[in-house]
Amino acid sequence: MSNRIDTCKAADRLGMGGGKIGMPLRFGIALAQDRRATDAFSALPDDRKKQVIEGARGLHSNEELRQYVSSIG
């Protein structure tokens, strides 16, 4: 249960609930599970966040997505 709570807190911190940036759900979940990437992504300016998110949209496998998220942090 604690992992789910931590993931939800990270998602809130990333602004996933507000719809400001339009983050894909799979990307948001992968990002929330990587604390270093979450911190790095949170520190980015909004225009750079949008670029990172757009880069994630073309990824199809979970492994590609994990590697991409890992490269953020």
Coordinates of all heavy atoms in Angstrom, one line a residue:
M1 N 0.8 -1.2 0.0 CA 0.0 0.0 0.0 C 0.9 1.3 0.0 O 0.5 2.2 -0.6 CB -0.9 0.0 1.2 CG -1.9 1.1 1.2 SD -3.1 1.1 -0.1 CE -4.5 1.3 0.8
S2 N 2.0 1.2 0.7 CA 2.8 2.4 0.8 C 3.4 2.8 -0.6 O 3.5 4.0 -0.9 CB 4.0 2.1 1.7 OG 4.9 3.2 1.7
N3 N 3.7 1.8 -1.4 CA 4.2 2.1 -2.8 C 3.2 2.8 -3.6 O 3.5 3.8 -4.3 CB 4.7 0.8 -3.5 CG 5.5 1.1 -4.7 OD1 6.1 2.2 -4.8 ND2 5.5 0.2 -5.6
R4 N 1.9 2.4 -3.5 CA 0.8 3.1 -4.2 C 0.7 4.5 -3.7 O 0.5 5.4 -4.5 CB -0.5 2.3 -4.0 CG -1.6 2.9 -4.8 CD -2.8 2.1 -4.8 NE -3.8 2.7 -5.6 CZ -5.1 2.7 -5.3 NH1 -5.5 2.0 -4.3 NH2 -5.9 3.3 -6.1
I5 N 0.7 4.7 -2.4 CA 0.6 6.1 -1.9 C 1.8 6.9 -2.3 O 1.6 8.1 -2.8 CB 0.6 6.0 -0.3 CG1 -0.7 5.4 0.1 CG2 0.7 7.4 0.3 CD1 -0.8 5.0 1.6
D6 N 3.0 6.4 -2.3 CA 4.2 7.1 -2.8 C 4.0 7.5 -4.3 O 4.3 8.6 -4.7 CB 5.4 6.3 -2.6 CG 5.8 6.2 -1.2 OD1 5.3 6.9 -0.3 OD2 6.6 5.3 -0.9
T7 N 3.5 6.6 -5.1 CA 3.3 6.8 -6.5 C 2.2 7.9 -6.7 O 2.4 8.8 -7.5 CB 2.8 5.5 -7.2 OG1 3.9 4.6 -7.1 CG2 2.6 5.8 -8.7
C8 N 1.2 7.9 -5.9 CA 0.2 9.0 -6.0 C 0.7 10.3 -5.6 O 0.4 11.3 -6.2 CB -1.0 8.6 -5.2 SG -2.0 7.2 -5.8
K9 N 1.5 10.3 -4.5 CA 2.1 11.6 -4.1 C 3.0 12.1 -5.2 O 3.1 13.3 -5.5 CB 2.9 11.4 -2.8 CG 2.0 11.2 -1.6 CD 2.9 11.0 -0.4 CE 2.0 10.8 0.9 NZ 2.9 10.5 2.1
A10 N 3.8 11.3 -5.8 CA 4.7 11.7 -6.9 C 3.9 12.2 -8.1 O 4.3 13.3 -8.7 CB 5.6 10.6 -7.3
A11 N 2.8 11.6 -8.4 CA 2.0 12.0 -9.5 C 1.4 13.4 -9.2 O 1.4 14.3 -10.1 CB 0.9 11.0 -9.7
D12 N 1.0 13.6 -8.0 CA 0.5 15.0 -7.6 C 1.6 16.0 -7.7 O 1.4 17.1 -8.2 CB 0.0 14.9 -6.2 CG -1.4 14.2 -6.0 OD1 -2.0 14.0 -7.1 OD2 -1.7 13.9 -4.9
R13 N 2.8 15.6 -7.3 CA 3.9 16.6 -7.3 C 4.3 16.9 -8.8 O 4.7 18.1 -9.0 CB 5.1 15.9 -6.6 CG 6.1 16.9 -6.1 CD 7.1 16.3 -5.2 NE 8.3 16.3 -5.8 CZ 9.2 15.4 -5.9 NH1 9.0 14.3 -5.3 NH2 10.4 15.6 -6.5
L14 N 4.1 16.0 -9.7 CA 4.4 16.3 -11.1 C 3.3 17.0 -11.8 O 3.4 17.3 -13.0 CB 4.6 14.9 -11.8 CG 5.9 14.2 -11.3 CD1 5.9 12.8 -11.9 CD2 7.1 14.9 -11.7
G15 N 2.2 17.2 -11.1 CA 1.1 18.0 -11.7 C 0.2 17.1 -12.7 O -0.4 17.7 -13.6
M16 N 0.2 15.8 -12.5 CA -0.5 15.0 -13.4 C -2.0 15.1 -13.3 O -2.7 14.9 -14.2 CB -0.1 13.5 -13.2 CG 1.2 13.2 -13.7 SD 1.7 11.5 -13.3 CE 0.4 10.6 -14.1
G17 N -2.5 15.5 -12.1 CA -3.9 15.6 -11.9 C -4.5 16.9 -12.5 O -5.7 16.9 -12.8
G18 N -3.7 17.9 -12.7 CA -4.3 19.2 -13.1 C -4.4 19.3 -14.6 O -5.1 20.2 -15.1
G19 N -3.8 18.4 -15.4 CA -4.0 18.5 -16.8 C -3.2 19.6 -17.5 O -3.4 20.0 -18.6
K20 N -2.3 20.3 -16.8 CA -1.6 21.4 -17.3 C -0.7 21.0 -18.5 O -0.5 21.8 -19.4 CB -0.7 22.0 -16.2 CG -1.4 22.6 -15.1 CD -0.5 23.2 -14.0 CE -1.2 23.6 -12.8 NZ -0.3 24.1 -11.8
I21 N 0.0 19.9 -18.4 CA 1.0 19.5 -19.4 C 0.5 18.4 -20.3 O 1.0 18.2 -21.3 CB 2.3 19.1 -18.7 CG1 2.8 20.3 -17.9 CG2 3.3 18.6 -19.6 CD1 4.1 20.0 -17.1
G22 N -0.5 17.7 -19.9 CA -1.0 16.6 -20.7 C -0.2 15.4 -20.7 O 0.2 14.8 -21.8
M23 N 0.3 14.9 -19.6 CA 1.2 13.8 -19.4 C 0.5 12.5 -19.7 O -0.6 12.2 -19.1 CB 1.8 13.8 -18.0 CG 2.8 12.7 -17.8 SD 3.5 12.8 -16.2 CE 4.2 14.4 -16.1
P24 N 1.0 11.6 -20.6 CA 0.4 10.3 -20.8 C 0.5 9.5 -19.5 O 1.5 9.5 -18.8 CB 1.3 9.7 -21.9 CG 2.0 10.8 -22.5 CD 2.1 11.9 -21.5
L25 N -0.5 8.7 -19.2 CA -0.6 7.9 -18.0 C 0.6 7.0 -17.8 O 1.2 7.0 -16.8 CB -1.9 7.1 -17.9 CG -2.1 6.3 -16.7 CD1 -2.2 7.2 -15.5 CD2 -3.4 5.5 -16.8
R26 N 0.9 6.2 -18.9 CA 2.1 5.3 -18.7 C 3.4 6.0 -18.4 O 4.2 5.5 -17.6 CB 2.2 4.5 -20.0 CG 1.3 3.3 -20.2 CD 1.5 2.6 -21.5 NE 2.6 3.1 -22.3 CZ 3.6 2.3 -22.8 NH1 3.6 1.0 -22.6 NH2 4.6 2.9 -23.5
F27 N 3.6 7.1 -19.0 CA 4.8 7.9 -18.7 C 4.8 8.4 -17.3 O 5.8 8.3 -16.6 CB 4.9 9.1 -19.7 CG 6.1 10.0 -19.4 CD1 7.4 9.6 -19.6 CD2 5.9 11.3 -18.9 CE1 8.5 10.4 -19.3 CE2 6.9 12.1 -18.6 CZ 8.2 11.7 -18.8
G28 N 3.7 8.9 -16.9 CA 3.5 9.4 -15.5 C 3.8 8.3 -14.5 O 4.4 8.6 -13.5
I29 N 3.3 7.2 -14.7 CA 3.5 6.0 -13.8 C 4.9 5.7 -13.7 O 5.5 5.5 -12.7 CB 2.6 4.9 -14.1 CG1 1.1 5.2 -13.9 CG2 3.0 3.6 -13.4 CD1 0.1 4.2 -14.4
A30 N 5.5 5.5 -14.9 CA 7.0 5.1 -15.0 C 7.8 6.2 -14.3 O 8.8 5.9 -13.5 CB 7.4 5.0 -16.4
L31 N 7.5 7.5 -14.5 CA 8.2 8.6 -13.9 C 8.1 8.6 -12.4 O 9.0 8.7 -11.6 CB 7.8 9.9 -14.5 CG 8.5 11.1 -14.1 CD1 10.0 11.0 -14.5 CD2 7.9 12.3 -14.7
A32 N 6.9 8.3 -11.9 CA 6.6 8.3 -10.5 C 7.3 7.2 -9.8 O 7.6 7.3 -8.6 CB 5.1 8.2 -10.2
Q33 N 7.7 6.1 -10.5 CA 8.3 5.0 -9.9 C 9.9 5.2 -9.8 O 10.6 4.3 -9.3 CB 8.0 3.7 -10.6 CG 6.5 3.3 -10.4 CD 6.1 2.2 -11.3 OE1 6.8 1.8 -12.3 NE2 5.0 1.5 -10.9
D34 N 10.4 6.2 -10.4 CA 11.8 6.5 -10.4 C 12.0 7.9 -9.7 O 11.9 8.9 -10.3 CB 12.3 6.5 -11.9 CG 13.8 6.7 -12.0 OD1 14.4 7.4 -11.1 OD2 14.4 6.1 -12.9
R35 N 12.4 7.8 -8.5 CA 12.5 9.0 -7.6 C 13.5 10.0 -8.2 O 13.3 11.2 -8.3 CB 13.0 8.6 -6.2 CG 13.1 9.7 -5.3 CD 11.8 10.4 -5.1 NE 12.0 11.5 -4.1 CZ 11.0 11.8 -3.3 NH1 9.9 11.2 -3.3 NH2 11.2 12.8 -2.5
R36 N 14.7 9.5 -8.7 CA 15.7 10.5 -9.3 C 15.1 11.2 -10.5 O 15.3 12.4 -10.7 CB 17.0 9.7 -9.6 CG 18.1 10.6 -9.9 CD 19.4 9.9 -10.2 NE 19.4 8.5 -9.6 CZ 20.3 7.6 -9.9 NH1 21.2 7.8 -10.8 NH2 20.2 6.4 -9.4
A37 N 14.4 10.4 -11.4 CA 13.9 11.0 -12.6 C 12.7 12.0 -12.2 O 12.6 13.0 -12.8 CB 13.4 9.9 -13.5
T38 N 11.9 11.6 -11.2 CA 10.9 12.5 -10.8 C 11.4 13.8 -10.3 O 10.9 14.9 -10.7 CB 10.1 11.8 -9.6 OG1 9.5 10.6 -10.0 CG2 9.0 12.7 -9.1
D39 N 12.5 13.8 -9.5 CA 13.1 15.0 -9.0 C 13.6 15.8 -10.2 O 13.5 17.1 -10.2 CB 14.2 14.7 -8.0 CG 13.6 14.1 -6.7 OD1 12.4 14.3 -6.4 OD2 14.4 13.5 -5.9
A40 N 14.3 15.2 -11.1 CA 14.9 15.9 -12.2 C 13.8 16.5 -13.1 O 13.9 17.6 -13.6 CB 15.8 14.9 -13.1
F41 N 12.8 15.7 -13.4 CA 11.7 16.2 -14.2 C 11.0 17.4 -13.6 O 10.7 18.4 -14.3 CB 10.7 15.1 -14.5 CG 9.6 15.5 -15.4 CD1 9.8 15.4 -16.8 CD2 8.3 15.8 -14.9 CE1 8.7 15.8 -17.7 CE2 7.3 16.2 -15.8 CZ 7.5 16.2 -17.1
S42 N 10.8 17.3 -12.3 CA 10.1 18.4 -11.6 C 10.9 19.7 -11.6 O 10.3 20.8 -11.6 CB 9.9 18.0 -10.1 OG 9.0 16.9 -10.0
A43 N 12.2 19.6 -11.7 CA 13.0 20.8 -11.8 C 13.1 21.4 -13.1 O 13.6 22.6 -13.3 CB 14.4 20.4 -11.3
L44 N 12.6 20.8 -14.2 CA 12.7 21.3 -15.5 C 11.7 22.4 -15.7 O 10.6 22.4 -15.2 CB 12.4 20.2 -16.6 CG 13.3 19.0 -16.7 CD1 12.8 18.0 -17.6 CD2 14.7 19.5 -17.1
P45 N 12.0 23.4 -16.6 CA 11.0 24.4 -17.0 C 9.9 23.7 -17.8 O 10.1 22.7 -18.4 CB 11.8 25.4 -17.8 CG 13.1 24.8 -18.2 CD 13.3 23.6 -17.2
D46 N 8.7 24.3 -17.8 CA 7.6 23.7 -18.5 C 7.8 23.4 -20.0 O 7.4 22.4 -20.5 CB 6.3 24.6 -18.4 CG 5.7 24.5 -17.0 OD1 6.1 23.6 -16.2 OD2 4.8 25.4 -16.7
D47 N 8.5 24.3 -20.7 CA 8.8 24.0 -22.1 C 9.6 22.7 -22.3 O 9.4 21.9 -23.2 CB 9.4 25.2 -22.8 CG 10.7 25.6 -22.3 OD1 10.9 25.5 -21.1 OD2 11.5 26.1 -23.1
R48 N 10.6 22.5 -21.4 CA 11.4 21.3 -21.5 C 10.6 20.1 -21.1 O 10.8 19.0 -21.7 CB 12.7 21.5 -20.6 CG 13.6 20.3 -20.6 CD 14.2 20.1 -22.0 NE 15.1 18.9 -21.9 CZ 15.0 17.9 -22.8 NH1 14.1 17.9 -23.7 NH2 15.7 16.8 -22.6
K49 N 9.8 20.2 -20.1 CA 8.9 19.1 -19.7 C 8.0 18.6 -20.9 O 7.9 17.4 -21.1 CB 8.0 19.5 -18.5 CG 8.7 19.6 -17.2 CD 7.7 20.1 -16.1 CE 8.4 20.3 -14.8 NZ 7.5 20.9 -13.8
K50 N 7.5 19.6 -21.6 CA 6.7 19.3 -22.8 C 7.5 18.5 -23.8 O 7.0 17.5 -24.4 CB 6.1 20.5 -23.4 CG 5.0 21.1 -22.5 CD 4.5 22.4 -23.1 CE 3.5 23.1 -22.1 NZ 3.0 24.4 -22.6
Q51 N 8.8 18.9 -24.0 CA 9.6 18.2 -24.9 C 9.9 16.7 -24.5 O 9.8 15.8 -25.3 CB 11.0 18.9 -25.1 CG 10.9 20.2 -25.8 CD 12.2 21.0 -25.8 OE1 13.1 20.6 -25.0 NE2 12.3 22.0 -26.6
V52 N 10.1 16.6 -23.2 CA 10.4 15.2 -22.6 C 9.1 14.4 -22.8 O 9.2 13.2 -23.2 CB 10.8 15.3 -21.2 CG1 10.8 13.9 -20.5 CG2 12.2 16.0 -21.0
I53 N 8.0 14.9 -22.5 CA 6.7 14.2 -22.6 C 6.5 13.8 -24.1 O 6.1 12.7 -24.4 CB 5.5 15.0 -22.1 CG1 5.7 15.2 -20.6 CG2 4.2 14.5 -22.5 CD1 4.7 16.2 -19.9
E54 N 6.7 14.7 -25.0 CA 6.5 14.4 -26.4 C 7.5 13.3 -26.9 O 7.1 12.4 -27.7 CB 6.7 15.6 -27.3 CG 5.6 16.6 -27.2 CD 4.2 16.0 -27.5 OE1 4.1 15.3 -28.5 OE2 3.3 16.2 -26.7
G55 N 8.7 13.3 -26.3 CA 9.6 12.2 -26.6 C 9.1 10.8 -26.1 O 9.4 9.8 -26.8
A56 N 8.4 10.8 -25.0 CA 7.8 9.6 -24.5 C 6.6 9.1 -25.3 O 6.4 7.9 -25.3 CB 7.4 9.8 -23.0
R57 N 6.0 9.9 -26.0 CA 4.8 9.5 -26.7 C 5.1 8.5 -27.8 O 4.2 7.6 -28.1 CB 4.0 10.7 -27.3 CG 3.4 11.6 -26.3 CD 2.5 12.7 -27.0 NE 2.2 13.7 -26.1 CZ 1.2 13.7 -25.2 NH1 0.5 12.6 -25.1 NH2 0.9 14.7 -24.4
G58 N 6.2 8.5 -28.4 CA 6.6 7.6 -29.4 C 7.1 6.2 -28.9 O 7.4 5.4 -29.8
L59 N 7.2 6.1 -27.7 CA 7.8 4.8 -27.1 C 6.6 3.8 -26.9 O 5.6 4.1 -26.4 CB 8.5 5.1 -25.8 CG 9.6 6.1 -25.9 CD1 10.2 6.4 -24.5 CD2 10.7 5.7 -26.8
H60 N 6.9 2.6 -27.3 CA 5.8 1.6 -27.3 C 6.0 0.5 -26.2 O 5.0 0.1 -25.7 CB 5.7 0.9 -28.7 CG 5.4 1.9 -29.8 ND1 4.2 2.6 -29.9 CD2 6.2 2.4 -30.7 CE1 4.2 3.4 -30.9 NE2 5.4 3.4 -31.4
S61 N 7.2 0.1 -26.0 CA 7.3 -1.0 -25.0 C 7.6 -0.4 -23.6 O 8.1 0.7 -23.5 CB 8.5 -1.9 -25.4 OG 9.7 -1.3 -25.1
N62 N 7.3 -1.2 -22.6 CA 7.5 -0.7 -21.2 C 9.0 -0.6 -21.0 O 9.4 0.3 -20.2 CB 6.9 -1.7 -20.2 CG 5.4 -1.6 -20.2 OD1 4.8 -0.6 -20.6 ND2 4.8 -2.7 -19.7
E63 N 9.8 -1.4 -21.6 CA 11.3 -1.3 -21.4 C 11.8 0.0 -22.0 O 12.7 0.6 -21.4 CB 12.0 -2.6 -22.0 CG 13.5 -2.6 -21.7 CD 13.8 -2.5 -20.2 OE1 13.1 -3.1 -19.4 OE2 14.9 -2.0 -19.9
E64 N 11.4 0.3 -23.2 CA 11.8 1.6 -23.8 C 11.4 2.8 -22.9 O 12.2 3.7 -22.7 CB 11.1 1.8 -25.1 CG 11.6 1.0 -26.3 CD 10.8 1.3 -27.5 OE1 9.5 1.2 -27.5 OE2 11.4 1.5 -28.5
L65 N 10.2 2.7 -22.3 CA 9.7 3.8 -21.5 C 10.6 3.9 -20.2 O 10.9 4.9 -19.8 CB 8.2 3.5 -21.1 CG 7.5 4.7 -20.5 CD1 7.6 6.0 -21.3 CD2 6.1 4.3 -20.3
R66 N 10.9 2.7 -19.6 CA 11.7 2.7 -18.3 C 13.1 3.3 -18.6 O 13.6 4.1 -17.8 CB 11.8 1.3 -17.8 CG 10.7 0.9 -16.9 CD 11.0 -0.4 -16.1 NE 11.0 -1.5 -17.0 CZ 9.9 -2.2 -17.3 NH1 8.7 -1.9 -16.8 NH2 9.9 -3.3 -18.1
Q67 N 13.7 2.9 -19.8 CA 15.0 3.4 -20.1 C 14.9 4.9 -20.3 O 15.8 5.7 -19.9 CB 15.5 2.7 -21.3 CG 15.9 1.3 -21.1 CD 16.4 0.5 -22.3 OE1 16.4 1.1 -23.4 NE2 16.8 -0.7 -22.2
Y68 N 13.9 5.4 -21.0 CA 13.7 6.8 -21.3 C 13.6 7.6 -20.0 O 14.3 8.6 -19.8 CB 12.5 7.0 -22.2 CG 12.3 8.4 -22.6 CD1 13.1 9.0 -23.6 CD2 11.3 9.2 -22.1 CE1 12.9 10.3 -24.0 CE2 11.1 10.5 -22.5 CZ 11.9 11.0 -23.5 OH 11.7 12.3 -23.9
V69 N 12.8 7.1 -19.1 CA 12.5 7.8 -17.8 C 13.8 7.8 -17.0 O 14.2 8.8 -16.4 CB 11.4 7.1 -17.0 CG1 11.4 7.5 -15.6 CG2 10.1 7.4 -17.7
S70 N 14.6 6.7 -17.0 CA 15.8 6.6 -16.3 C 16.8 7.6 -16.8 O 17.6 8.1 -16.0 CB 16.4 5.1 -16.4 OG 17.6 5.0 -15.8
S71 N 16.8 7.9 -18.1 CA 17.7 8.8 -18.7 C 17.4 10.3 -18.2 O 18.3 11.1 -18.4 CB 17.7 8.8 -20.2 OG 16.5 9.3 -20.7
I72 N 16.2 10.5 -17.7 CA 15.9 11.9 -17.3 C 16.7 12.2 -16.0 O 17.1 13.4 -15.8 CB 14.4 12.0 -17.0 CG1 13.6 11.8 -18.3 CG2 14.0 13.3 -16.4 CD1 12.1 11.6 -18.1
G73 N 16.8 11.3 -15.1 CA 17.5 11.5 -13.8 C 18.8 11.0 -13.8 O 19.7 11.0 -13.2

